[in-house]
Amino acid sequence: MAVRGPGFASDNYAPMCPEALEALVRANEGPAPAYGADAWTARAEAAIAAWFEAECRVFFVGTGTAGNALALATLARPYERVLCHEAAHAIHDECGAPGLVGGGVRLTPLPGAHGRIDRETLAGALAGRADVHHGRAAALTLTQPTELGTVYTPEALAGLCALAHGHGLRVHVDGARLFNAVAALGCAPRALGPDAGVDVLTLGGTKGGLGLGEALVFFDLELAEGFAWRHKQAGQLFSKMRFLSAPWTGLLEGDAWRRHAAHANACARRLAEAVAGVEGVRLAHPVEANAVFLELPAAVAAGLEARGWRFHALPAWGGARFLCAWDTEEAAVDLLAADIAELAAG
Amino acid sequence: MAVRGPGFASDNYAPMCPEALEALVRANEGPAPAYGADAWTARAEAAIAAWFEAECRVFFVGTGTAGNALALATLARPYERVLCHEAAHAIHDECGAPGLVGGGVRLTPLPGAHGRIDRETLAGALAGRADVHHGRAAALTLTQPTELGTVYTPEALAGLCALAHGHGLRVHVDGARLFNAVAALGCAPRALGPDAGVDVLTLGGTKGGLGLGEALVFFDLELAEGFAWRHKQAGQLFSKMRFLSAPWTGLLEGDAWRRHAAHANACARRLAEAVAGVEGVRLAHPVEANAVFLELPAAVAAGLEARGWRFHALPAWGGARFLCAWDTEEAAVDLLAADIAELAAG
Amino acid sequence: MAVRGPGFASDNYAPMCPEALEALVRANEGPAPAYGADAWTARAEAAIAAWFEAECRVFFVGTGTAGNALALATLARPYERVLCHEAAHAIHDECGAPGLVGGGVRLTPLPGAHGRIDRETLAGALAGRADVHHGRAAALTLTQPTELGTVYTPEALAGLCALAHGHGLRVHVDGARLFNAVAALGCAPRALGPDAGVDVLTLGGTKGGLGLGEALVFFDLELAEGFAWRHKQAGQLFSKMRFLSAPWTGLLEGDAWRRHAAHANACARRLAEAVAGVEGVRLAHPVEANAVFLELPAAVAAGLEARGWRFHALPAWGGARFLCAWDTEEAAVDLLAADIAELAAG
Amino acid sequence: MAVRGPGFASDNYAPMCPEALEALVRANEGPAPAYGADAWTARAEAAIAAWFEAECRVFFVGTGTAGNALALATLARPYERVLCHEAAHAIHDECGAPGLVGGGVRLTPLPGAHGRIDRETLAGALAGRADVHHGRAAALTLTQPTELGTVYTPEALAGLCALAHGHGLRVHVDGARLFNAVAALGCAPRALGPDAGVDVLTLGGTKGGLGLGEALVFFDLELAEGFAWRHKQAGQLFSKMRFLSAPWTGLLEGDAWRRHAAHANACARRLAEAVAGVEGVRLAHPVEANAVFLELPAAVAAGLEARGWRFHALPAWGGARFLCAWDTEEAAVDLLAADIAELAAG
């Protein structure tokens, strides 16, 4: 029976998926070389390369904050700027991590409807002053799916990458929920990575069903030169690395990643459809992955909280955010939608 | 049957101990608040406070490098120095992590027999110049047990803390193997922490039997002010924190921590005793915890490697290092000792 | 005879004023202790304290970028944010200096008409989220006069300081042109510093008539604890400090500072008044110090450039910026105004 | 008449030489473009290039600490190490400046008689471990003349550069007193710079007779890519740059640099020769430039201080340091030598 609870607050409220846990338990056998020289880590790296159908260098990190900050510190020198969407996680939610790891690297926010940067906006930013009184831009970081639950199509992504590259910038993708984007678009993973021209990508594991950890994937192998030392310096080289890496094999060697992501996406659509006709409730952004942003009357929001639901109030970004995860129950979605309808009806 | 293998290379070659794994699996149930607001994390924090019998603030981190660097960055401002033993992990093995996180914080090495700093050496260092042409010392960091397998007694530790505090320095302990020290000394944990005057301590979980993670423990609660933001900025605030914290309950709520540490210590003593009479082989340092440093003839070292054993050649620190862990088999110790004797004989 | 030239581009195009040069030459006599232990430096520090009629700690630095960055790094820890006006020099023009020196310190821009932050805007910013997913604000930095040529009255400044202090923030003032503000307001210098509640202030020397250097002035003496080491670490402790400090005595021991600033302000007003009636030309901001921002038709701007005038086109801030300095000739102002009128007439 | 005084404490106790002052005064004429776009700065850059007879990129900085730190931050990434002599200024006297500017860059000290690193020592250091548990070396920094008053010959310098380059390291020279080395060796400046294989050099102006400032000279032009932004970010881009740059023309366009350096060197030799036969007094290091290190009986040292002389007691480096400058009077040298002899006799 579905119960009201905190599950919609974030997709990182979910436990490990069974496939990740199983791989973790299997990796717990006998001694193994430390610091990533073990067989599980090699296998997980190979699984990621196979998933992207690309040659790449993979480094496992503990958190998305670490992965993003290390990527940006690699792409930009301390005195350079990184362009991002004004809703980007990296500029708001990471306490200045890129600036710490990157020695002062700054993020420059760009506007864009529904969380997406468009070509014209990027072109305008690239045409601006870049002298020593302004700092020059060295990289573009994009979130896929965006912070507002929309996705960049392979074509849109490739267009932005080409424009950035043409101005000498590198491109990083924060793919905390990349599995959701791939599942939603029905494309090959490589279409959202190397084929689009992405140089470095943070592949989110936690929100996809792992317990801990993300993977930093370099498609431009030269950028990875020296990164092993940076990884260590930043406190991200885990001694028993196999316990960070092995769960990836559970996700990627079969279709668990897609199944879980597709399920979360379907739950989000189900929620969006269920509240579509509710008076006073409106979708703030198209639902293209596993997030639903709803403009809710204050009384409805308060009523949901009172009934035990948890979600993020994000007035600056259009409304309340509900996230679905691999473990979201359809019955819980229906119960939530019914509560919204009931509260909206007054 | 015991087999020759890599297990003596480091105590981080060992898998998770059963108690840690069991707690991890039990934590994998349903949604839970993210970023450490879950019940498992609160319980693990309480277990650490209870273990130290002290009021303290606990932050879980992914690696010892991160824990040590964050601690030193909290104790010293960017232009200040931290005193350490010349064999300290923080100065050699962490790629400059304290300098990165601490904005230029430097480590000043002090000599000392068998890995220990003694009072006279510390007093001499504290009497040195501290003007702007030298940088002043703000903290002392001690490794317990030391990098060379010896321990500081509670009295020695308290003496160093008092001396440091008397000069306005704070004290950090890198307790990557603190369980081994407590088990070896037979003292209360608090005798190596708050009772001795330690301000901040990195409590090693991985080497004690966890899969991932260490705990940073502030006994001086004022030092923890603002640390939550630093923790996040450094990429150490894990979203599904329960999977980093829960295993600590398995170690600490019973006596698993002591049983495992005592076992590793006993294996080290067993090895030391077994090679005591071997011609040409000598203990480089007293065996006081779970490490054995042996001066070995080159042919013996090469012979061991050829037979499949792995260990660290550390000529600067007196010889080859063999580490025992919670999973070391006594039969493997005996087999290793027999191989050493056989090779030394000719 | 007045000539067309680059002088209006910035007040840092001006040479040293005679009083500064004279003091510099007089300081060039015989050996003197290095690193600020000389008599000239003590005298210059005393002159600044006397000017502010306040107990304070003074550190001479080479540039405003250095002064501002060091001040902000002292007020905010690496994971904290500093609030500033969206036109602030520190966020646009210093290549991320605060982030470099402050280990990731970030600036959060606030809007405000004519370059000024008002109470309501500040109150709103202080009411926002400050948890680890956002970073907390530790300081407010204000530019006086503002980047757009307006000033904060003593009352407005005191109000902002009180509001910031009430929320636990410290206040820094970037006083690159503070002499102009004091001369314009006709107040005591202390009214724009300690009396208003300012904690640290960058007192601009270069734009006031020095050749090189600014002074960082701590009114909160506790904040200066340890700063001598930070100053050295940042490469700002000049060995022959007397040559940076002595010129301040020329400016401050008599009324040179006020005479020069008042002259520059008068030139700005003269320009503003002279173009007041010109068709198609409009003041973008009130002229309250030594800067004039003019909305100019493109043809007028181009025509001025063609005739040899230099100024900054700052479309984002309302128009072309003309700055007057201690050496601006009234005849040059009149010639510039006549050119504007002539070009505007077609 | 010669007087006892502080002049031997350091060569930065000296005033500006007349040639530097004259150029400074001449640069103080009318408005000039800011931030180094003026004619004096171009002329000073050209003078330095001509002096080295080499194509190079020049950046003026305020202090040696800034110049060295910026150079090392350019040569080494945050997680890399820089090799230096154990007496190097950069490791002892700069409060961790390279670590601040370089995001954690560390200095690794190497031993060497009389302040010089020799080939064997460097070769040994380059043969050491460079994995992620140690950090790899990216650069070698040499002080010329050394901290102990000796010089590297062009051949020795070229040998070290070749060895370093062969291992992929870049070479920086801290030439705070390079004029003294060139004058002492009688070689072309380029023999101690580009011809020897030096990549970046901090050319000391202050100790050579300027009032403020040093020059950072890139012989490897590619290394200068992006440096203009770094220079600005570090607070080293002076707005009225002409006052930092113009004095260089006074030193370099004639032979003032050589005349002053040769005079200081001759004074040092004069002092060394005068005390050569004094019982109980011994030269700690060969006198090859403008520094004299004397082993002095404690009573002699105390007696000198009591008579008003100032010098640096540097017991770790062999004794008391006396530095001669462009303004040292031969009579003062003779008086000092007589005092030493008298005190030693009695």
Side-chain angles (χ1 to χ4, degrees), chain D residues 36-130:
Chain D
D38 65 282
W40 281 99
T41 299
R43 183 170 154 186
E45 289 169 359
I48 289 174
W51 191 71
F52 277 118
E53 303 174 77
E55 197 183 358
C56 55
R57 282 292 309 276
V58 175
F59 292 88
F60 297 102
V61 295
T63 65
T65 297
N68 293 338
L70 287 169
L72 300 184
T74 302
L75 299 185
R77 287 187 275 183
Y79 45 82
E80 292 178 324
R81 291 188 287 109
V82 176
L83 306 179
C84 66
H85 189 274
E86 62 187 358
H89 199 267
I91 204 171
H92 289 287
D93 303 65
E94 299 179 348
C95 278
L100 171 70
V101 181
V105 161
R106 290 172 296 158
L107 291 155
T108 298
L110 302 180
H114 301 311
R116 283 183 284 240
I117 297 172
D118 64 26
R119 265 187 84 83
E120 291 65 40
T121 302
L122 179 59
L126 294 172
R129 287 180 61 183

Side-chain angles (χ1 to χ4, degrees), chain C residues 15-22 208-211 250-251 256 260 326, chain D residues 28 240:
Chain C
M16 284 183 271
C17 66
E19 298 85 352
L21 177 58
E22 190 192 351
L210 301 188
L251 264 194
H260 293 319
W326 72 268
Chain D
N28 196 43
K240 297 186 180 174

